């Protein structure tokens, strides 16, 4: 049975509805709060949490329940109320299911997964006790060592929920890695994949044959020395520390799906009149013909797209950095993560964006020079890289091998071109010369990378270009 249960309702659960849900364990169940009172907890007799319940979230973006849960939600706007049971305690899982069932019954709507929320009866939890929570553990953390925090998830898509975002932040503050353990049928949201790049954080996939493996690299894993770590091959040497790769990770099939990936950075002068998100909106408009659908500081993205509201949140949190997720309409899968930070150079926006295309759908590659020029002339572009990948149209990341993308173009912003000595930026080792963007007196440069999708020539060209620009 799942550890997470979610009620999707057209009406906001009012206080009496939430109270009825909290009474799922009977009138004597202890209730506590955490996270500055944003999380309510049903506890055992010693005050240790059995179920943690997030405050209801108003979702105003269509398609998020379908994307993250595979569930049919009420028409937008609807309310998303999430409960997480303590792992390994059957009564806690039953309690979370009954809570969600009561919320869905009284506020309308449904619960996910439906099999977890079929009973409205009081769950008997007398005498049930859970292990003490380690110091600094978050409601989402299932195990904590001196090296990593471990989270066990059983959802179709592991998303950057408020729970998971808090766990990432707490682990970083404690200088720990974060390891997410899932079943082999789970996938990652790109927002989570982009946050798992630093060792010893990793995606741990349970596997019948190999036990556990890394869902992003395929390395076979074992629990050793307080964390999941790669297993060495019997013939490994210090010079060649080979790691066996799980058989399940190597099961590759070409479905014809592709992704167009765009990563770029802009650096704006710090100004009270600055509006953020405009660069991303321009790229989205050029590549899809419409702006993004919604955004949020966690998944599901719950707010309709608004440059002003996004800017207000970033300014309220400054000088601390702010992370956003941005999504598109359901009929054109698109997802971006944006990190806004204040630096000596100004206000930086780091954007990682991908759009999904199925068989017969052609990515708008002819629009790339226009995208680059818009960013370079209107949005203080520093650099941009565009790739085409063989990967799923829905953008979900499977625990299977997905080959590297083919680099299509690299763009260097006008300020970076101006600071480069001599004419190094214009004279490159590539077969095609760069294209000037913007005014001749202060141009940005667009470098086409005509790599062959069947080999690594595109990456070889890109590496040669980077070495040249760095003066190597």
């Amino acid at each position: 049975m799942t550890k997470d249960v979610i009620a999707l309702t057209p009406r906001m659960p009012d206080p009496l509805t939430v109270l009825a849900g909290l009474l799922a364990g009977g009138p004597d169940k202890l209730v506590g709060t955490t996270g500055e009172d944003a999380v309510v907890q049903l506890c055992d007799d010693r005050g240790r949490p059995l179920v943690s319940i997030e405050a209801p979230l108003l979702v105003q973006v269509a398609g998020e329940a379908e994307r993250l849960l595979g569930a049919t939600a009420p028409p937008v706007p609807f309310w998303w109320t999430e409960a997480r049971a303590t792992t390994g305690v059957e009564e806690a899982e039953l309690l979370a299911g009954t809570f969600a069932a009561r919320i869905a019954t009284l506020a309308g709507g449904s619960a996910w997964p439906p099999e977890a929320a079929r009973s409205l009866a009081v769950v008997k939890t007398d005498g049930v006790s859970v292990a003490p929570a380690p110091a600094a553990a978050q409601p989402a953390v299932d195990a904590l060592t001196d090296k990593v925090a471990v989270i066990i998830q059983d959802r179709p898509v592991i998303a950057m929920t408020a729970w998971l975002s808090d766990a990432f932040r707490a682990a970083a503050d404690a200088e720990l890695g974060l390891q997410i353990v899932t079943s082999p049928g789970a996938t990652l949201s790109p927002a989570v994949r982009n946050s798992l790049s630093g060792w010893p954080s990793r995606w741990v996939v349970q596997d019948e044959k190999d036990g556990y493996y890394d869902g992003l690299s395929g390395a076979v894993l074992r629990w050793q020395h307080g964390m999941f770590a790669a297993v060495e091959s019997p013939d490994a040497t210090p010079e060649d520390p080979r790691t066996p790769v799980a058989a399940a990770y190597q099961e590759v099939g070409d479905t014809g799906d592709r992704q167009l990936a765009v990563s770029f950075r802009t650096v704006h002068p710090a100004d009270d009149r600055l509006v953020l998100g405009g660069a991303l909106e321009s790229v989205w408009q050029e590549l899809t013909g419409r702006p993004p659908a919604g955004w949020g500081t966690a998944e599901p993205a719950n707010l309709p797209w608004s440059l002003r509201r996004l800017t207000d949140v970033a300014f309220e949190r400054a000088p601390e950095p702010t992370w956003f997720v941005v999504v598109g309409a359901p009929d054109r899968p698109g997802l971006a993560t944006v990190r806004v930070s204040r630096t000596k150079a100004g206000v930086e926006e780091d954007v990682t964006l991908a759009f999904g295309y199925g068989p017969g759908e052609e990515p708008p590659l002819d629009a790339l020079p226009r995208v680059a020029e818009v960013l370079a002339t209107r949005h203080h572009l520093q650099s941009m890289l565009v790739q085409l990948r063989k990967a799923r149209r829905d953008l979900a990341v499977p625990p299977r091998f997905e080959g590297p993308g083919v680099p299509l173009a690299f763009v260097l912003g006008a300020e970076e071109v101006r600071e480069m000595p001599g004419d190094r930026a214009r004279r490159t080792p590539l077969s095609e010369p760069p294209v000037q963007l913007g005014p001749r007196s202060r141009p940005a440069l667009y470098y086409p990378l005509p790599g062959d999708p069947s080999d690594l020539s595109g990456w070889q060209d890109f590496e040669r270009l980077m070495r040249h620009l760095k003066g190597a």
Side-chain angles (χ1 to χ4, degrees), residues 388 390 404-408 431-432 448-462:
L388 189 64
K390 290 183 178 179
V406 177
L408 302 179
S431 58
E432 293 189 40
L449 296 167
D452 184 344
S454 64
D455 60 32
L456 297 178
S457 61
W459 282 114
Q460 292 167 354
D461 286 344
F462 178 69

Side-chain angles (χ1 to χ4, degrees), residues 266-274 315 342 345-348 379-380:
T266 60
V267 183
H268 309 278
D271 190 311
D272 290 341
R273 296 169 297 177
L274 174 63
F315 272 71
R342 181 70 182 267
V347 180
E348 297 187 3
H379 299 288
H380 303 279

Side-chain angles (χ1 to χ4, degrees), residues 290-303:
R290 50 188 161 175
W295 69 284
T297 55
E299 292 180 289
N302 65 309
L303 299 169

Side-chain angles (χ1 to χ4, degrees), residues 52-419:
S52 299
I53 301 154
E54 278 273 352
L57 178 71
L58 180 62
V59 178
Q60 304 175 65
V61 181
E64 285 296 87
E66 291 81 357
R67 178 175 74 90
L68 298 176
L69 303 176
T72 301
V76 293
F78 64 89
W79 293 88
W80 177 302
T81 307
E82 187 158 340
R84 177 170 174 80
T86 297
T87 301
V89 182
E90 182 180 358
E91 292 82 0
E93 296 169 10
L94 293 172
L95 196 59
T98 299
F99 169 84
R102 291 185 174 194
I103 296 294
T105 298
L106 294 173
S110 60
W112 177 91
E115 65 272 13
R118 290 178 176 169
S119 173
L120 301 175
V122 171
V123 178
K124 295 181 179 180
T125 57
D126 294 341
V128 174
S129 183
V130 298
Q138 301 294 302
V141 172
D142 295 293
L144 194 64
T145 73
D146 61 348
K147 295 183 177 68
V148 297
V150 179
I151 293 176
I152 302 172
Q153 289 271 274
D154 188 13
R155 300 168 75 138
V157 179
I158 310 305
M160 187 61 82
T161 60
W163 304 100
L164 193 53
S165 178
D166 287 345
F168 267 108
R169 190 160 40 248
D173 290 344
E175 298 183 349
L176 300 173
L178 189 72
Q179 299 190 335
I180 303 173
V181 183
T182 76
S183 65
T187 60
L188 293 188
S189 161
V192 175
R193 177 190 58 192
N194 296 340
S195 300
L196 282 174
S197 56
W199 183 88
S201 297
R202 62 171 80 239
W203 177 18
V204 182
V205 181
Q206 296 175 320
D207 182 64
E208 290 185 359
K209 181 178 180 181
D210 292 298
Y212 299 93
Y213 69 92
D214 189 306
L216 299 180
S217 71
V220 176
L221 306 174
R222 294 287 183 273
W223 181 261
Q224 46 193 337
H225 309 299
M227 65 180 180
F228 284 99
V231 175
E232 287 190 357
S233 295
D235 53 351
T237 65
E239 295 75 23
D240 186 9
R242 301 176 186 176
T243 299
V245 176
Y249 181 78
Q250 303 177 64
E251 297 173 357
V252 181
D254 187 359
T255 63
D257 288 0
R258 289 176 292 174
Q259 293 177 14
L260 183 64
V262 183
S263 56
F264 62 90
R265 172 180 290 181
T266 60
V267 183
H268 309 278
D271 190 311
D272 290 341
R273 296 169 297 177
L274 174 63
V275 176
L276 298 170
L280 176 60
E281 181 180 81
S282 295
V283 174
W284 216 292
Q285 188 76 43
E286 293 289 343
L287 294 177
T288 70
R290 50 188 161 175
W295 69 284
T297 55
E299 292 180 289
N302 65 309
L303 299 169
W305 179 246
S306 167
L307 296 178
R308 175 52 60 189
R309 293 189 67 184
L310 183 147
T311 301
D312 288 345
V313 170
F315 272 71
E316 287 170 4
R317 297 185 177 185
E320 294 299 315
T322 305
W323 181 94
F324 301 108
V325 61
V326 181
V327 298
D331 61 338
R332 169 52 57 224
L335 188 143
T337 58
V338 184
R339 181 179 175 83
V340 178
S341 54
R342 181 70 182 267
T343 68
K344 293 181 179 179
V347 180
E348 297 187 3
E349 290 182 280
D350 283 295
V351 179
T352 301
L353 166 65
F355 294 106
Y357 301 88
E361 296 179 318
E362 289 299 324
L365 303 185
D366 57 346
L368 296 179
R370 187 170 66 252
V371 168
E373 183 153 21
V374 169
L375 290 178
T377 57
R378 302 180 192 173
H379 299 288
H380 303 279
L381 177 69
Q382 185 180 75
S383 62
M384 180 177 80
L385 176 64
V386 183
Q387 303 174 56
L388 189 64
R389 306 177 59 231
K390 290 183 178 179
R392 291 170 52 142
R393 181 182 187 273
D394 64 4
L395 307 179
V397 182
R400 305 286 184 272
F401 175 75
E402 289 186 321
V406 177
L408 302 179
F410 177 75
V411 183
L412 198 62
E415 185 65 22
E416 284 62 41
V417 171
R418 187 185 69 83
E419 292 180 353

